[in-house]
Amino acid sequence: MVHQHCSGGCMSTNRYEENIPVTGLLAPRLAYFAAVARHEHVTRAAHELGVPQSTLSRAMVRLEQDLGVVLFARKGRTVALTTAGRTFLASAEKALAEIARAAESVQQDADPAYGKVAFGFLHTLGPETVPGLIRAFRADHPRVRFSLVQNYGEAMLERLRAGELDLCLTSPLPDAPDLVARRLDEQRLRLVVPDDHRLATRKRIRLAEAAEETFVTLEPGYGLRRITDDLCAEAGFTPRVAFEGEEAETLRGLVAAGLGVALLPPPAVARPGVVELTVTAPRAVREIGVAWLDGHPDTPPVAQFKRFLLSRRGKLIPEAFGGPTQPPPAPAPGGTEAAESK
């Protein structure tokens, strides 16, 4: 048998194959090659693999042709690895082992009882809401694993599109043709002021009364920043922003330091140094929902967790931490500060 030798590995002349990278041609034949190398016998290898001997023989010839290297010294149906064959076998076995590990990993992730859910959520939902959700879900699915990602909304949606997340809790709800979003709950936002601020003795406030204040906000691109800008616009002003951050509790700390006011969801634990005022107008809430990639098939554990989240409509946010409440009473006629400060 004569083999063509060429540097860099030869490619098949088949038109369909000529534009395929050499690794694409080699990969299907690695298991065949490893079996022949292990048995040093084509017939026994064919029996183990459950393929015709002629098919296996042709596959080995094509493998050598594609590589441009002789891998076997042949004596009838008995073969022995050449030096090049032994070198190639070491790497082929590592590649096959890696493929086996990858297959086992994806099978485990899809297992209904032991599988994995890649779940994203906003930083503000991390301290209380998400731990409570997962604890409740695992009461019935104790071995399901989670890969948790905290980020701002737009970043999580990009990770959904990239296949890095299965589901995410976000706000505001995305309106995009490639995504599905379902509203789960709403969370009231409060105007947070320093405890020595002129408004700190108030319980309720119309947002327009803060038009001259300096604001601290999340950076552009964050959902809560967009909501803040929209609410201020509805109240008739554009906020003067002194500081922009990436995390709500950092903003609360800046407020406590007297560096501005902020529109924020309630904290998991009361923060000293600030007073949180109910905003009576406009209606200051943010919708929170779950989003996923449209048309993306769910593994059993993802489908189970999605059904669980949808079952939490209206009770996602614990009431003690700013969940659904009755609208605040309307201000007294005339809307005086004295009436509102009671």
Side-chain angles (χ1 to χ4, degrees), residues 119-133 150-151 156 168-171 184 187 247-248 265-266 268 286-289 316-318 321:
F119 182 44
F121 52 92
L122 302 170
H123 289 281
T124 50
L125 300 178
E128 292 291 331
T129 301
V130 169
L133 283 173
Q150 288 179 275
N151 216 322
M156 286 193 297
C168 72
L169 290 181
T170 189
S171 176
L184 296 178
Q187 187 176 42
E247 210 276 321
R286 65 170 179 172
E287 286 189 325
I288 297 172
L316 181 78
I317 306 297
F321 298 97

Side-chain angles (χ1 to χ4, degrees), residues 8-340:
C10 293
M11 297 293 290
S12 168
T13 57
N14 182 292
R15 281 190 174 185
Y16 174 76
E17 295 178 344
E18 62 186 5
N19 292 321
I20 300 176
V22 66
T23 51
L25 296 174
L26 299 180
R29 302 177 190 136
L30 291 184
Y32 284 4
F33 167 72
V36 174
R38 184 168 58 252
H39 287 285
E40 295 188 332
H41 198 281
V42 176
T43 302
R44 288 198 290 270
H47 179 73
E48 177 191 295
L49 295 169
V51 299
Q53 178 183 313
S54 58
T55 299
L56 189 56
S57 296
R58 285 195 300 270
M60 293 303 94
V61 170
R62 289 295 301 277
L63 176 61
E64 291 177 317
Q65 289 175 341
D66 289 335
L67 287 173
V69 175
V70 177
L71 301 174
F72 297 105
R74 292 165 171 80
K75 293 183 179 178
R77 292 191 178 92
T78 301
V79 297
L81 286 170
T82 63
T83 300
R86 285 193 293 273
T87 300
F88 188 64
L89 177 63
S91 295
E93 288 179 329
K94 289 179 183 177
L96 290 168
E98 189 63 30
I99 291 170
R101 282 192 292 271
E104 183 181 5
S105 177
V106 297
Q107 289 168 345
Q108 287 179 345
D109 288 350
D111 185 277
Y114 298 89
K116 185 173 73 173
V117 179
F119 182 44
F121 52 92
L122 302 170
H123 289 281
T124 50
L125 300 178
E128 292 291 331
T129 301
V130 169
L133 283 173
I134 293 177
R135 179 178 58 194
F137 175 74
R138 293 193 73 189
D140 294 322
H141 306 87
R143 292 184 174 85
V144 169
R145 297 168 292 125
F146 283 84
S147 173
L148 301 177
V149 174
Q150 288 179 275
N151 216 322
Y152 66 99
E154 288 300 322
M156 286 193 297
L157 299 183
E158 288 309 308
R159 296 186 74 163
L160 273 181
R161 292 183 172 104
E164 298 172 11
L165 290 176
D166 299 309
L167 303 164
C168 72
L169 290 181
T170 189
S171 176
L173 273 62
D175 181 14
D178 60 334
L179 299 174
V180 179
R182 295 288 183 267
R183 182 186 184 278
L184 296 178
D185 215 334
E186 66 179 32
Q187 187 176 42
R188 190 171 298 281
L189 302 179
R190 297 169 178 171
L191 185 70
V192 185
V193 302
D195 60 5
D196 59 354
H197 192 272
R198 66 180 179 86
L199 298 172
T201 57
R202 302 273 294 277
K203 293 181 179 180
R204 297 178 294 275
I205 187 172
R206 288 172 283 110
L207 189 56
E209 297 178 71
E212 299 304 317
E213 298 293 331
T214 296
F215 277 72
V216 295
T217 70
L218 295 179
E219 294 177 349
Y222 282 69
L224 188 55
R225 171 60 181 271
R226 193 190 327 163
I227 293 169
T228 296
D229 290 345
D230 289 347
L231 287 171
C232 290
E234 190 176 347
F237 69 96
T238 299
R240 292 187 296 120
V241 177
F243 295 93
E244 295 175 333
E246 297 180 345
E247 210 276 321
E249 287 310 301
T250 299
L251 299 187
R252 204 170 249 107
L254 293 173
V255 173
L259 299 175
V261 303
L263 273 172
L264 295 173
V269 179
R271 173 73 181 249
V274 301
V275 174
E276 311 215 357
L277 309 177
T278 297
V279 178
T280 60
R283 188 168 184 267
V285 298
R286 65 170 179 172
E287 286 189 325
I288 297 172
V290 58
W292 61 86
L293 193 61
D294 191 21
H296 188 75
D298 293 332
T299 62
V302 171
Q304 291 167 172
F305 190 58
K306 182 188 292 184
R307 286 194 297 270
F308 170 78
L309 289 176
L310 294 174
S311 75
R312 306 287 291 190
R313 285 189 182 98
K315 48 188 177 182
L316 181 78
I317 306 297
E319 226 173 281
F321 298 97
T325 58
Q326 295 297 319
T336 63
E337 278 196 25
E340 285 192 288

